[in-house]
Amino acid sequence: MYFLWKRTPHGSIRMSCSGLSCFIERVLSDESKCRSLALAEGETASVTLVLSSENASPGAEVEERLASVVAPLGFRVQVIWADSSAPGAEWHEILSSLSLSPWTWMIAASAVTVVAVAGLKGLFWTLFWGTAAWFVSKVLVASALRKRVLFFMPAARR
């Protein structure tokens, strides 16, 4: 996703969400993580970061460091701390990421369609044979990789 950063007489300047979040992740320590970000356009553009930390009190030092790194880009920084140690926060994050995944919606729509067209018995057999195919493919891929590794290994080491 791209955020509109500035409009100029020559066109618009857009900022990549994933690029900016990767940049922020590199600036943060291993204890902190960037959960989300938003960018407000304008001459005094600001970036709002939602961060979480394993540390109980992340402190203002992380915010100051982020502000000093992002300021040369022309952004003001606003930081919102999310409590990742709250009970149920881990499940909430998993469910949130699942609800945003297109794979989840594809599987749900497929299951509803199979039930509507073939009934519960059709859904059962579809899941059964799909799972069987998944396990067979895993075994075949693993054996093929093992043979390929042996093929490229020097004869003395075989």
Side-chain angles (χ1 to χ4, degrees):
M1 175 169 61
Y2 289 89
F3 294 116
L4 177 62
W5 178 16
K6 291 184 181 181
R7 292 185 200 269
T8 67
H10 305 289
S12 299
I13 301 174
R14 299 187 180 273
M15 178 69 68
S16 166
C17 177
S18 61
L20 187 57
S21 65
C22 287
F23 175 72
I24 297 296
E25 285 286 340
R26 280 186 259 137
V27 172
L28 292 172
S29 64
D30 290 336
E31 295 176 347
S32 301
K33 185 174 180 179
C34 180
R35 299 290 179 189
S36 178
L37 61 93
L39 186 66
E41 71 172 297
E43 290 302 315
T44 57
S46 66
V47 62
T48 303
L49 303 170
V50 178
L51 305 176
S52 66
S53 178
E54 295 173 6
N55 190 358
S57 60
E61 61 194 32
V62 173
E63 295 178 27
E64 291 173 6
R65 183 170 180 216
L66 282 171
S68 67
V69 169
V70 177
L73 297 173
F75 295 119
R76 285 185 307 119
V77 176
Q78 298 172 332
V79 176
I80 299 171
W81 289 100
D83 188 10
S84 61
S85 64
E90 187 175 302
W91 281 106
H92 183 2
E93 185 174 327
I94 290 170
L95 290 174
S96 176
S97 65
L98 278 176
S99 69
L100 295 175
S101 172
W103 287 98
T104 303
W105 295 107
M106 178 200 70
I107 291 168
S110 299
V112 168
T113 303
V114 168
V115 168
V117 172
L120 290 175
K121 187 176 177 181
L123 177 65
F124 169 77
W125 287 112
T126 301
L127 292 174
F128 175 81
W129 289 113
T131 304
W134 184 84
F135 279 108
V136 167
S137 69
K138 281 296 218 182
V139 169
L140 291 177
V141 167
S143 69
L145 288 175
R146 196 170 337 161
K147 287 180 182 178
R148 192 168 97 205
V149 169
L150 288 175
F151 179 74
F152 289 115
M153 199 180 293
R157 293 189 69 202
R158 289 186 206 167

